[in-house]
Amino acid sequence: MPVLAPFEAAVEAGVWLVMAGYNDVTMTASPLLQEPLKGEWGFDGVVVSDWAALRSTEEPARAALDLAMPGPQSPWDAPLVRAVKDGRVPEEAVDEKVRRLFRLADRVGAFAPPRRRRMPVRGSYESRALLGRAAAAGSVLLTDRGVLPLDPTELSTVAVIGAHAAAPRTQGGGGAGVFPSDVVTPLAGIRARLRGRARVVHAPGPMPGVAPSPLDTDRCSDPRSGAPGVLLRVLDESGREPHAEHRLSGRQLEPDLPAGGGGGAHPAAPWGCVAGGGAGWRW
């Protein structure tokens, strides 16, 4: 089918993971995940659900979905175990999902010793150069009245204005968010190019209606252990703490809640979530 051509091209290019989409009827149980994806096209990676898109237990389990997100609490928790024991879902179907997950874990280096865990990089220098050219080509300069490019030899002081110069949004938010391990910010790049030549002054300027940046390991530490990151606490209505855990980031704060609790992100839930790290950020 022509509509599937982009997906077939992605499989031919060697993708390791495919996400089933949201639809009026969720795609997590679609027969398309088996044929043509895993069958005709020979996709040997993992099929993952979109966030909270898994609505039932047995149909996706018998189909070609491999991983439910988020986890581990989902329709594939205890209900899947019961479905397998009762014979409603073949054990072989679960075995195939586990094999695919192990294959993905091996591909990304999860089974390697911690010091050697690195994503394989093919043509790192060439890839970075291509990405740099793509970013430059995708940038639009609204007005240049003969000012640019600046001559570094003629500069004494350069003002860089804007909060995103120091904390850029490298990708979108939500499911489109990408958090690279290393980012050269516009401010850092300008300072590096002008080091020893000119003074660089940065002014963030106003940020109306913008939420604060998420807490990361470089901005806070667990107040109990001192380890980089945040302490995520789950509190009940009386203030008792039935669960706490260390997190490396405050970007996704959806903990595994104790039995009988609702989702921490829902206003009516009987549980509350508090993340503490340095400044005591609260949710």
Side-chain angles (χ1 to χ4, degrees), residues 38-126:
K38 291 184 175 180
E40 179 184 343
W41 297 350
F43 175 65
D44 67 350
V46 169
V47 177
V48 60
S49 77
D50 208 333
W51 201 258
L54 189 67
R55 313 289 170 75
S56 60
T57 299
E58 298 176 27
E59 294 83 357
R62 289 193 296 265
L65 187 75
D66 300 310
L67 178 62
M69 292 298 293
Q73 292 179 337
S74 75
W76 272 7
D77 192 6
L80 179 57
V81 175
R82 290 194 298 269
V84 173
K85 289 182 177 180
D86 294 344
R88 301 191 305 273
V89 173
E91 187 173 342
E92 295 77 14
V94 178
D95 290 341
E96 172 63 14
K97 302 176 193 304
V98 172
R99 279 192 290 268
R100 288 177 176 267
L101 291 170
F102 279 167
R103 184 183 298 130
L104 178 62
D106 182 58
R107 283 171 168 170
V108 301
F111 296 140
R115 293 181 181 178
R116 298 175 55 193
R117 286 182 186 174
R118 293 184 59 85
M119 286 288 291
V121 178
R122 299 183 180 91
S124 177
Y125 177 80
E126 293 79 4

Side-chain angles (χ1 to χ4, degrees), residues 106-176:
D106 182 58
R107 283 171 168 170
V108 301
F111 296 140
R115 293 181 181 178
R116 298 175 55 193
R117 286 182 186 174
R118 293 184 59 85
M119 286 288 291
V121 178
R122 299 183 180 91
S124 177
Y125 177 80
E126 293 79 4
S127 299
R128 291 175 68 91
L130 174 60
L131 291 172
R133 292 196 300 272
S139 300
V140 178
L141 184 65
L142 298 181
T143 303
D144 177 20
R145 297 187 175 90
V147 175
L148 300 177
L150 299 174
D151 183 356
T153 63
E154 301 295 327
L155 301 176
S156 59
T157 302
V158 175
V160 180
I161 312 298
H164 286 174
R169 189 165 195 167
T170 54
Q171 288 288 347

